[in-house]
């Protein structure tokens, strides 16, 4: 078996239409997994991800679904079970930001971020746990963030949601570990995305100056880490948070 091969596996990736989610969906497809990924807007972008995943050599399709909606998530997991007869891997990548300093942040902005980022991950974990338990094999990978360790002004809602993700990860690892299911998190650092590309050059250089690795991370760096944690080779790793941050001291 090749490194981190995922042939015959079926994966669900939330928020897979662009950025890190797209890179994860394509990387899992490249490893041989059949991939279903969710999106909430832009069917055109979702279809682009699907095409890239298919070009990587595996079956892939988008699914319009809000992970923060439990009923919709449960229905999607049921569809995947009916279509493929199994669901082996779940990657909780979907997330939003509504940044603002706490005195200016509206309660509904806090609630929305928690509902999407943390409750959405919990929804998926609960829905996929049963089929994974029945097969006595499963991989759950949750996306956290460097802000959990270092904090970030204006992101009290986002940091709280990602801190909750890490606590959820450790707890579910203990609940599910006895049945061949691993639960881990990946915490990206500063990643080269559309958002960081728009930063002034001196700001980008300042960020890079904090990173021993000497560069911003890429979506591919994150996707490769997720692929490993989803594989057979990572079967004795659970309840961990893998920092993908170039050595940034948080």
């Amino acid at each position: 078996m090749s490194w981190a091969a995922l042939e015959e596996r079926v994966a669900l990736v939330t928020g897979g239409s662009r950025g890190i989610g797209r890179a994860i969906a394509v990387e899992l497809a490249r490893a041989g997994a059949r991939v279903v990924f969710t999106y909430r807007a832009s069917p055109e972008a979702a279809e682009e991800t699907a095409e890239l995943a298919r070009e990587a050599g595996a079956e892939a399709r988008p699914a319009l679904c809000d992970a923060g909606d439990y009923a919709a998530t449960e229905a999607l997991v049921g569809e995947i079970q009916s279509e493929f007869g199994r669901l082996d891997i779940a990657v909780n990548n979907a997330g939003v930001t509504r940044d603002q300093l706490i005195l200016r942040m509206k309660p509904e902005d806090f609630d929305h971020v928690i509902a999407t980022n943390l409750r959405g991950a919990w929804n998926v974990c609960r829905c996929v746990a049963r089929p994974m338990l029945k097969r006595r094999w499963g991989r759950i990978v949750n996306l956290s963030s460097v802000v959990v360790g270092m904090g970030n002004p204006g992101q009290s809602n986002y940091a709280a949601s990602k801190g909750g993700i890490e606590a959820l990860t450790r707890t579910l690892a203990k609940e599910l570990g006895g049945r061949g299911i691993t639960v881990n998190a990946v915490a990206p650092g500063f990643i080269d995305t559309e958002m960081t590309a728009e930063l002034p050059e001196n700001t980008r250089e300042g960020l890079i100056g904090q990173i021993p690795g000497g560069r911003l991370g890429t979506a591919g760096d994150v996707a490769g880490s997720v692929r490993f944690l989803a594989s057979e080779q990572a079967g004795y790793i659970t309840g961990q948070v893998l920092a993908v941050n170039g050595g940034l001291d948080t």
Side-chain angles (χ1 to χ4, degrees):
M1 178 182 291
S2 62
W3 176 83
L6 301 173
E7 283 90 353
E8 305 301 323
R9 302 298 187 191
V10 175
L12 169 62
V13 179
T14 66
S17 64
R18 59 187 175 87
I20 290 173
R22 171 178 286 182
I24 291 169
V26 173
E27 186 65 24
L28 297 184
R30 184 176 293 115
R34 291 169 287 179
V35 180
V36 177
F37 63 91
T38 70
Y39 72 99
R40 292 178 56 187
S42 186
E44 296 80 12
E47 189 53 39
E48 287 176 10
T49 298
E51 282 300 317
L52 289 169
R54 292 169 193 142
E55 290 171 8
E59 185 177 349
R61 72 169 179 87
L64 180 61
C65 180
D66 177 1
D69 182 331
Y70 183 83
T73 302
E74 185 177 43
L76 177 58
V77 170
E79 290 174 14
I80 295 171
Q81 282 281 98
S82 298
E83 183 176 353
F84 299 105
R86 59 194 297 170
L87 205 172
D88 306 289
I89 300 161
V91 182
N92 286 302
N93 168 75
V96 297
T97 58
R98 286 192 177 180
D99 296 352
Q100 189 56 267
L101 296 175
I102 193 165
L103 291 180
R104 297 177 181 173
M105 184 179 291
K106 298 177 181 178
E108 54 266 33
D109 292 335
F110 183 88
D111 292 344
H112 178 68
V113 171
I114 295 294
T116 300
N117 298 5
L118 180 55
R119 174 60 190 271
W122 184 89
N123 287 347
V124 172
C125 289
R126 188 179 192 280
C127 291
V128 304
R130 192 176 302 278
M132 289 182 179
L133 286 167
K134 286 182 178 178
R135 295 186 64 85
R136 301 185 70 88
W137 198 97
R139 300 285 187 266
I140 297 173
V141 184
N142 300 317
L143 269 290
S144 181
S145 171
V146 67
V147 302
V148 174
M150 66 187 299
N152 199 30
Q155 288 197 312
S156 59
N157 49 4
Y158 185 77
S161 73
K162 294 302 184 177
I165 285 283
E166 294 190 7
L168 176 68
T169 296
R170 296 186 181 99
T171 298
L172 293 185
K174 293 183 183 253
E175 285 190 20
L176 304 174
R179 299 293 290 273
I181 301 168
T182 67
V183 188
N184 292 290
V186 171
F190 296 133
I191 304 300
D192 196 359
T193 62
E194 293 176 4
M195 185 180 298
T196 54
E198 294 176 358
L199 292 173
E201 188 61 29
N202 62 330
T203 302
R204 282 173 58 88
E205 290 302 318
L207 289 177
I208 292 171
Q210 300 177 52
I211 304 169
R215 65 174 176 86
L216 297 180
T218 68
D221 292 327
V222 180
S225 301
V226 172
R227 172 178 172 170
F228 169 66
L229 290 174
S231 72
E232 195 72 47
Q233 285 92 333
Y236 200 56
I237 301 172
T238 195
Q240 304 304 305
V241 179
L242 176 59
V244 183
N245 62 19
L248 181 67
D249 184 5
T250 59

